[in-house]
Amino acid sequence: SINITTFNRSDNLIRCIDSVLKQDYQNIEIIIVDDCSTDNTYDVVKNYQRKDRRIKYFRHQKNKGNAHARNTAFEKCNGVYVAFLDDDDEWIENNKIKKQVEIFEKYNEKKLGLVCSGILRLKRNGEKIIEKAHYPKDLKYEALKGGLIHNSTVLTKRKIIQEAGGFDTDLYRGIDSEFFRRVILIYNYNVFFMKDTTTRYFEDSKNR
């Protein structure tokens, strides 16, 4: 399941969805949760749905925030594996999901909870910065500091999200880092840091 949450970023959403549809791994469903957008997001998604039946669209009747949208996406998805993708990000490696599924299946480790990668960050001034993912000397300490794992690079398992209780709707920001901290610190799951750079992050997005 590819879980995409969106709010008033229809232009960015097109780029985001296109990057998912280019994935080599085709056994997917794409869950799009619209947090009550007022732009043409509905029309954009419906146009995609006419071309690809794997895309499922759900819309909140009022704006609830990103944590609620992420939890709605989880409630609606069915995959054994779940990937997150923000509407203003895009995957730049077409075999991202394939590689991550293979990592889970190769290691078959009960306590492997997250597989993540590096990102290519496009700054507002046009500068491009590659931020590599690497396993820190002290995973739990670095997880407490935050910024260790980029949400749109992650693949996890459905049962882990369920065990951790989803995303904390009491938080206004930092919900992804808080979720990853819980998975690592409370539920003692390990993380696989891929050497690949699979995702492009854009800092010039509106409504940040």
Side-chain angles (χ1 to χ4, degrees):
S1 298
I2 317 300
N3 289 1
I4 300 172
T5 53
T6 188
F7 176 65
N8 281 346
R9 288 177 178 161
S10 59
D11 290 343
N12 291 342
L13 183 61
I14 292 172
R15 180 181 64 201
C16 173
I17 296 173
D18 284 343
S19 76
V20 175
L21 296 178
K22 293 175 183 176
Q23 286 293 301
D24 296 336
Y25 194 93
Q26 291 292 300
N27 185 23
I28 61 173
E29 64 173 0
I30 303 169
I31 306 295
I32 299 175
V33 175
D34 178 358
D35 198 20
C36 198
S37 296
T38 55
D39 61 4
N40 65 329
T41 292
Y42 173 83
D43 296 325
V44 166
V45 177
K46 286 301 176 182
N47 184 51
Y48 275 102
Q49 284 185 307
R50 295 186 189 101
K51 305 172 186 176
D52 199 316
R53 297 178 64 182
R54 297 174 299 175
I55 299 174
K56 302 173 184 178
Y57 174 77
F58 304 92
R59 185 178 190 274
H60 287 166
Q61 294 305 306
K62 64 177 182 179
N63 184 263
K64 296 183 177 182
N66 203 15
H68 283 281
R70 293 215 195 288
N71 287 338
T72 297
F74 173 65
E75 291 166 5
K76 301 298 184 181
C77 76
N78 300 289
V80 173
Y81 299 105
V82 178
F84 310 117
L85 185 56
D86 291 335
D87 56 3
D88 59 337
D89 301 330
E90 67 173 333
W91 290 337
I92 55 176
E93 187 168 312
N94 293 345
N95 58 357
K96 171 191 181 291
I97 296 298
K98 182 176 183 291
K99 284 185 176 181
Q100 291 180 314
V101 170
E102 287 175 349
I103 288 169
F104 269 113
E105 294 179 348
K106 175 183 178 181
Y107 289 93
N108 195 27
E109 180 187 333
K110 289 184 178 179
K111 297 309 291 185
L112 178 56
L114 307 168
V115 178
C116 65
S117 76
I119 65 168
L120 173 61
R121 187 182 298 279
L122 184 61
K123 299 182 73 65
R124 290 183 177 88
N125 62 5
E127 182 184 3
K128 297 179 181 179
I129 299 176
I130 294 178
E131 299 178 12
K132 290 287 188 179
H134 63 278
Y135 197 95
K137 292 181 179 179
D138 188 330
L139 176 62
K140 292 188 175 183
Y141 175 76
E142 293 297 330
L144 279 171
K145 289 170 61 178
L148 179 66
I149 300 170
H150 296 289
N151 179 71
S152 289
T153 74
V154 168
L155 185 74
T156 186
K157 291 184 176 181
R158 176 183 177 81
K159 66 179 183 180
I160 293 173
I161 304 176
Q162 192 167 24
E163 181 182 0
F167 293 87
D168 190 343
T169 56
D170 290 332
L171 296 180
Y172 179 72
R173 58 180 297 176
I175 62 168
D176 302 322
S177 295
E178 190 278 332
F179 172 75
F180 299 140
R181 279 195 293 270
R182 243 184 305 138
V183 169
I184 295 168
L185 295 167
I186 297 178
Y187 296 95
N188 293 308
Y189 281 101
N190 205 351
V191 182
F192 188 102
F193 294 87
M194 301 170 64
K195 295 181 180 179
D196 311 64
T197 301
T198 67
T199 307
R200 183 181 285 118
Y201 271 54
F202 295 84
E203 285 195 352
D204 61 348
S205 300
K206 62 181 180 178
N207 296 328
R208 294 191 66 83

